[in-house]
Amino acid sequence: STAGVVTGVAVGSATGTATLATLVRTAAITVVHPDLVLTRDTILSGNYTFRTLTIPADRTLTATGPLVIRSTGLTSIAGTITGSCVSVDIGSDTALVVNGGQVQNGCAAGTGGDLRLAASGELLLINATITSSGDISLTNDSTLTEGAFPALRAPSQPGGIPFARLENSTIRYHGGGTGPSPATDGSNGTNGGNGANGRRVRMLLNGNANFAGGTLLWAQDAGNGGTGTNTSN
């Protein structure tokens, strides 16, 4: 402004120039995404981009609606990201680390949003709990698709290759407090209904992947079908 106030409107660099009569001065201006370090329990929904994301062990980030968070640097989750029946998408342009943390958006079976954890480098899940009542997708290379895998069946090469490690972590589909919703039983002369559909855990991993002890992958947990009865003479 004419008062010399500079307001950032987008990430990037610019040069500001001030002129007074014949006196000219310039200044380099850089606008970057902020770092987000949770210092208290926080509620969010919508789309956000940060330079880094840190959730300490004693802090909870609650999603009240669909939540997409992207960091251009490290994402570190030692605390909890939670939401009921909403989609949660957490991504990092470098490394995404869930160490002792929880990411969960489970709710009644068949009604939950999907859960995605995506890094473009290292994906580390150590003593982590990942729970969703939607599909779960994990990747350390967000450019991968399922169709890309036949072309990737070559030995890993050292240097610059993404890396994934899962250690003593639980990744599971979960619907409701007792599991996927079962079907209702049929009344006299009618069949029972269908239980809730199972959901899937999908991993699109590039480079070296290390699955260490104590890791549980729990998918396709559908609800039991209902019984039908037919009583007559």
Side-chain angles (χ1 to χ4, degrees):
S1 70
T2 56
V5 177
V6 176
T7 302
V9 295
V11 171
S13 299
T15 299
T17 302
T19 303
L20 177 62
T22 60
L23 183 62
V24 178
R25 293 291 184 267
T26 61
I29 301 163
T30 301
V31 179
V32 298
H33 291 297
D35 298 314
L36 177 63
V37 180
L38 260 62
T39 58
R40 61 183 181 182
D41 293 345
T42 303
I43 296 174
L44 286 178
S45 64
N47 294 356
Y48 300 88
T49 300
F50 302 103
R51 184 166 55 182
T52 62
L53 170 64
T54 303
I55 302 179
D58 57 348
R59 295 292 178 255
T60 297
L61 174 61
T62 301
T64 56
L67 178 64
V68 178
I69 295 181
R70 174 178 168 268
S71 63
T72 58
L74 173 66
T75 291
S76 177
I77 303 170
T80 300
I81 297 178
T82 185
S84 179
C85 292
V86 299
S87 60
V88 174
D89 188 334
I90 309 297
S92 169
D93 289 347
T94 57
L96 193 158
V97 180
V98 183
N99 191 346
Q102 302 181 54
V103 183
Q104 52 193 24
N105 65 339
C107 62
T111 61
D114 295 337
L115 174 60
R116 179 174 180 262
L117 300 179
S120 295
E122 291 188 350
L123 176 66
L124 306 179
L125 305 181
I126 302 171
N127 300 316
T129 302
I130 311 299
T131 307
S132 179
S133 53
D135 289 343
I136 299 174
S137 178
L138 307 175
T139 183
N140 63 349
D141 184 346
S142 57
T143 67
L144 288 178
T145 64
E146 291 186 4
F149 278 91
L152 291 176
R153 291 174 183 167
S156 298
Q157 299 176 3
I161 297 297
F163 176 80
R165 179 177 178 85
L166 284 73
E167 179 179 347
N168 197 36
S169 295
T170 297
I171 302 167
R172 64 169 296 196
Y173 167 79
H174 175 71
T178 58
S181 298
T184 56
D185 290 336
S187 59
N188 185 26
T190 63
N191 295 325
N194 295 321
N197 290 332
R199 306 302 287 265
R200 67 176 182 168
V201 171
R202 179 177 64 169
M203 295 186 182
L204 302 178
L205 303 178
N206 187 10
N208 298 317
N210 185 337
F211 292 82
T215 293
L216 171 66
L217 306 180
W218 183 351
Q220 296 297 349
D221 189 0
N224 293 329
T227 59
T229 59
N230 190 343
T231 303
S232 66
N233 292 332

